[in-house]
Amino acid sequence: MRVVVAEDLFLLRDGLVRTLQDEGYEVVAVDNGPALSRALLAGGAEEADAAVVDVRLPPTFTDEGLQAALEARRRRPGFPVLVLSQYVDSLYAGELLAGGEGGVGYLLKDRVTNTEQFLGGLRTVAAGGTVMDPQVIARMLARNEARGTIGGLTPRERDVLGLMAEGRSNAAVAATLHISESAVAKHTANIFDKLGIAPSAEDNRRVLAVLAYLRR
């Protein structure tokens, strides 16, 4: 699997590259926006299997990384992108989710120090799933709760919704909340019923539907 890594901080970039190479990935590393655009848009996206991208890259340190990743996904819908950010910004998460396809992730850089969490997130994204940082989900939930859009959910249903949005399976949700998988399934059915979102047999589509609702 070939992964493009875009990160301007040498130590973090080097750490990401080494981690991925140790897992058997082929890595192409870049440190600025123009280089990322060339890697992803000049034929690179057709060759790469996924990208790990810092939102802010030189030369302007605004959102070059995010925009290059979004353009790659416009040219190749579903192209797996795991975005890294120093800060919680639900607008960035919303832009990633706007297309409605899977294969997207948004993690705070603090998370990548946990190797298993980083690699697990990349594997989920590469498989077409969705991974959102818990802090981003918490902010989305708080924002929409303030608007009354999830006011009909019980506290337990909000807990389940937040974990679902992180990309957790029913088994993982059950283990985290110390409840049975059948209870998770029941809560999930209630969530979709209350939000007016038709359940799907595919977990990835289920998470995307929930996140699409949270963007409103």
Side-chain angles (χ1 to χ4, degrees):
M1 180 172 172
R2 187 169 184 260
V3 180
V4 175
V5 174
E7 168 58 54
D8 67 301
L9 297 177
F10 171 77
L11 290 179
L12 179 55
R13 184 175 68 253
D14 186 61
L16 292 173
V17 169
R18 289 174 181 271
T19 296
L20 292 171
Q21 288 177 336
D22 287 346
E23 292 294 312
Y25 293 98
E26 179 185 348
V27 182
V28 175
V30 298
D31 63 0
N32 60 72
L36 174 61
S37 293
R38 288 192 296 271
L40 292 182
L41 305 180
E46 284 73 24
E47 299 176 6
D49 297 298
V52 178
V53 177
D54 187 358
V55 168
R56 300 180 180 184
L57 291 170
T60 66
F61 291 100
T62 54
D63 62 351
E64 293 97 331
L66 176 67
Q67 293 307 320
L70 291 173
E71 180 59 27
R73 284 175 61 81
R74 280 191 285 269
R75 297 190 184 189
R76 182 180 167 185
F79 176 68
V81 173
L82 179 60
V83 168
L84 306 179
S85 178
Q86 190 71 39
Y87 311 101
V88 176
D89 193 324
S90 56
L91 291 178
Y92 292 156
E95 285 192 71
L96 279 172
L97 296 165
E101 301 94 0
V104 293
Y106 181 104
L107 292 179
L108 294 182
K109 288 187 178 181
D110 290 347
R111 308 290 178 192
V112 303
T113 59
N114 184 320
T115 301
E116 285 306 311
Q117 190 167 16
F118 166 64
L119 291 173
L122 179 59
R123 284 191 290 265
T124 297
V125 168
T130 301
V131 177
M132 291 288 123
D133 193 280
Q135 290 189 43
V136 177
I137 295 303
R139 180 166 295 187
M140 285 180 165
L141 288 171
R143 181 191 65 193
N144 286 280
E145 185 172 15
R147 294 175 179 172
T149 51
I150 62 169
L153 301 184
T154 67
R156 178 60 82 188
E157 288 165 354
R158 287 195 291 271
D159 291 339
V160 171
L161 177 62
L163 292 169
M164 285 168 51
E166 290 176 31
R168 307 284 187 94
S169 65
N170 277 6
V173 173
T176 300
L177 298 179
H178 305 291
I179 57 179
S180 67
E181 288 190 49
S182 61
V184 173
K186 181 177 179 180
H187 288 310
T188 300
N190 289 339
I191 289 168
F192 280 108
D193 181 58
K194 291 179 180 180
L195 300 185
I197 301 173
S200 169
E202 293 188 29
D203 285 345
N204 294 341
R205 289 184 178 179
R206 176 188 68 184
V207 174
L208 287 172
V210 173
L211 290 174
Y213 173 81
L214 292 176
R215 291 201 312 270
R216 295 178 185 175

